[in-house]
Amino acid sequence: MPPIRVLIVDDEVLVRSGLGLIVGSAPDLEVVGSCSGGQAEQQVAALAPQVVLLDIRMPDLDGITVLRRLRALPDPPAVAMLTTFDTDEYIGTALRTGAAGFLLKDTAPEQLVHAVRVLAAGGSVLSPTVTRSVISGYVEGGAPDTEAAVLTRQLTGRELDVLALLGEGLSNAEIADRLFLGTGTVKDHISAILGKLGAANRVQAAVVAHRAGLVRAPGQPGR
């Protein structure tokens, strides 16, 4: 199979070089280019990457604007936002704009490589070590959101169980193990959940789970 094509977008040359070395070290991944935000749309059109690693904070053209432009393309790549902060104030906007995931810049190399593979396969980067703190920081504590609670009323009891675990950052295999289901069944449940919630990806569904009060803080009883 041809390698997964990756474009790295960051305003710092050293960051682009470092990420490129990590991603390019995997035999099934290929870094087809790297650039700053202002060149991103042109590079995506010319190089047709399947995955874009996009810095959320750039001086020439911010990552949210770049993400919005890439999402408007006829065949947009999967985009994961790169951030130094696990509670960046732009996270909420990026979620609504359709980011497929978030990666802290100190993510371990093996996790970064795995994330690119997940994104290329149509998944979203949502793991306890990388994304849970990002979503929690965006959602913040407090009472459940009424709109999110109404959305989740469309779900079956089993779908609510799956959504709650998805909100905790569990993978399909981990959810399957926790609920004693097959991974294929979990995948079907998640597809149904995304459709009912009108969510573009797992990250957006996880935010709904947090807002609806399905994800409890450590020490609290479950739903």
Side-chain angles (χ1 to χ4, degrees), residues 12 80 87 152:
E12 297 184 23
T87 53
T152 59

Side-chain angles (χ1 to χ4, degrees), residues 47-129:
L47 302 172
Q50 296 156 273
V51 175
V52 173
L53 301 179
L54 173 62
D55 187 11
I56 203 167
R57 291 172 178 250
M58 293 180 290
D60 63 335
L61 189 64
D62 69 89
I64 299 297
T65 299
V66 174
L67 173 63
R68 189 172 290 115
R69 292 180 179 181
L70 296 185
R71 292 295 299 168
L73 294 174
D75 187 20
V79 180
M81 309 303 293
L82 297 170
T83 177
T84 308
F85 310 99
D86 60 1
T87 53
D88 195 297
E89 65 264 31
Y90 299 120
I91 291 299
T93 303
L95 285 169
R96 290 188 291 271
T97 307
F102 295 90
L103 296 169
L104 301 181
K105 287 188 177 180
D106 61 356
T107 296
E110 63 273 13
Q111 291 179 336
L112 176 62
V113 169
H114 175 69
V116 171
R117 292 170 179 149
V118 170
L119 291 164
S124 298
V125 180
L126 182 62
S127 72
T129 55

Side-chain angles (χ1 to χ4, degrees), residues 176-198:
D177 184 63
R178 185 80 65 87
L179 298 178
F180 304 102
L181 298 172
T183 53
T185 300
V186 171
K187 185 176 180 180
D188 290 341
H189 280 313
I190 290 176
S191 294
I193 289 167
L194 295 182
K196 291 179 180 180
L197 298 183

